[in-house]
């Protein structure tokens, strides 16, 4: 199976990881951080990774360090929902400077990726250096506003495990039916358009990788929707 996929990739010159430079994947290596089915009282897809309208709106402040991109995936869930490790790994940091408060957790995986879980309810009980297995409960979901009624959700990033300086589209790395998941939620999943190149970065899966600390990639002269 893997051999055939590799052969097809070699033949076509295409990468399964879309047009960015994220490491090529034969299949999506990670699982969902929430167990059980999606729904209005369990969890649902809230904001995609990449050039979202929300990230564009806040590109000069909240998302400036991530090139104007929403450099993670938002999943809404009631506060206290158990958060699972998306793959086997080792805890790298607990409540680090990486943001996404009030609490966060970073796990390194052996496949070259790291997963970062933000907007956690309380400090994770995990210790730095502790091994975790895929599906193990490592944290509880929270709310960045600490109210648990305004916008309870987790912010999940996938970065490289070496430097944590690059962010990748979790939709290409977590096994799920993302197109169906994108159909439900509080509001539609929307991307900002550059009217000089209106199709670019408006797809769930075809989004640029994030190079943290590098310049904005979406400071458009002709944006749609219009700037706020
Ligand atoms: Zn987020």
């Amino acid at each position: 199976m893997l051999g055939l996929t590799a052969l097809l990739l070699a033949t076509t010159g295409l990468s399964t990881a879309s047009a960015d430079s994220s490491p090529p994947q034969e299949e999506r290596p990670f699982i969902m951080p929430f167990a059980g089915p999606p729904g209005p009282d369990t969890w649902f897809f809230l904001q995609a990774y990449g050039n979202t309208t929300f990230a564009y709106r806040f590109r000069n402040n909240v998302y400036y360090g991530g090139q104007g991109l929403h450099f993670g995936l938002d999943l809404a869930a009631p506060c206290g929902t158990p958060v699972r490790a998306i793959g086997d790994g080792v805890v790298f940091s607990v409540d680090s400077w990486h943001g996404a408060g009030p609490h966060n957790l970073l796990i390194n995986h052996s496949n070259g990726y790291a997963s970062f879980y933000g907007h956690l309810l309380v400090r994770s009980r995990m210790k730095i250096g502790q091994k975790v297995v895929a599906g193990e409960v490592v944290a509880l979901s929270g709310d960045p506003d600490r109210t648990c009624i305004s916008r309870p959700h987790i912010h999940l990033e996938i970065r490289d495990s070496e430097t944590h300086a690059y962010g990748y589209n979790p939709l290409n790395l977590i096994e799920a039916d993302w197109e169906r998941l994108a159909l439900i939620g509080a509001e539609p999943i929307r991307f900002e358009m550059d009217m000089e190149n209106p199709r670019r970065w408006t797809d769930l899966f075809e989004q640029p990788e994030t190079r943290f600390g590098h310049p904005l990639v979406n400071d458009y002269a002709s944006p749609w929707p219009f700037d706020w």
Side-chain angles (χ1 to χ4, degrees):
M1 184 64 188
L2 293 179
L4 177 61
T5 307
L7 179 63
L8 288 170
L9 291 175
T11 305
T12 60
L14 294 174
S15 165
T16 52
S18 81
D20 64 33
S21 61
S22 55
Q25 291 298 316
E26 312 253 311
E27 57 190 23
R28 294 170 181 160
F30 295 119
I31 63 170
M32 268 295 190
F34 292 131
D41 55 358
T42 54
W43 62 270
F44 56 88
F45 189 7
L46 185 64
Q47 187 184 183
Y49 169 95
N51 181 37
T52 64
T53 51
F54 190 80
Y56 178 79
R57 179 177 182 180
F58 296 103
R59 69 192 181 284
N60 288 311
N61 38 68
V62 179
Y63 299 106
Y64 186 75
Q67 300 192 283
L69 302 168
H70 182 233
F71 39 87
L73 163 71
D74 287 349
L75 297 172
C79 275
T81 301
V83 177
R84 311 187 300 171
I86 64 171
D88 297 349
V90 177
V91 174
F92 182 82
S93 68
V94 181
D95 286 359
S96 71
W97 52 268
H98 282 102
H103 298 277
N104 63 53
L105 177 69
L106 180 60
I107 296 174
N108 274 353
H109 305 282
S110 61
N111 58 1
Y113 292 107
S115 55
F116 174 79
Y117 311 78
H119 305 324
L120 303 175
L121 184 64
V122 292
R123 183 182 172 94
S124 170
R125 61 177 170 77
M126 308 305 290
K127 304 296 181 211
I128 292 171
Q130 186 172 347
K131 288 184 178 175
V132 300
V133 296
E136 180 177 347
V137 174
V138 292
L140 299 173
S141 71
D143 179 342
D145 301 331
R146 299 172 183 248
T147 67
C148 289
I149 54 170
S150 65
R151 47 185 184 133
H153 71 279
I154 63 163
H155 170 87
L156 173 65
E157 298 175 18
I158 297 183
R159 299 190 178 206
D160 71 292
S161 61
E162 188 71 27
T163 66
H164 302 134
Y166 295 85
Y168 305 107
N169 189 347
L171 275 63
N172 292 323
L173 296 166
I174 296 174
E175 189 57 45
D177 190 346
W178 290 109
E179 279 159 333
R180 282 174 67 91
L181 287 171
L183 296 175
I184 61 169
E187 54 185 70
I189 302 289
R190 293 193 305 158
F191 296 99
E192 189 73 19
M193 281 193 284
D194 174 6
M195 295 313 289
E196 293 169 5
N197 190 357
R199 300 266 184 221
R200 190 175 66 156
W201 302 340
T202 58
D203 180 87
L204 285 173
F205 304 100
E206 293 176 9
Q207 295 293 326
E209 71 177 36
T210 304
R211 295 187 301 157
F212 292 96
H214 284 250
L216 296 174
V217 293
N218 56 359
D219 203 19
Y220 300 146
S222 303
W224 183 269
F226 292 134
D227 220 342
W228 280 268

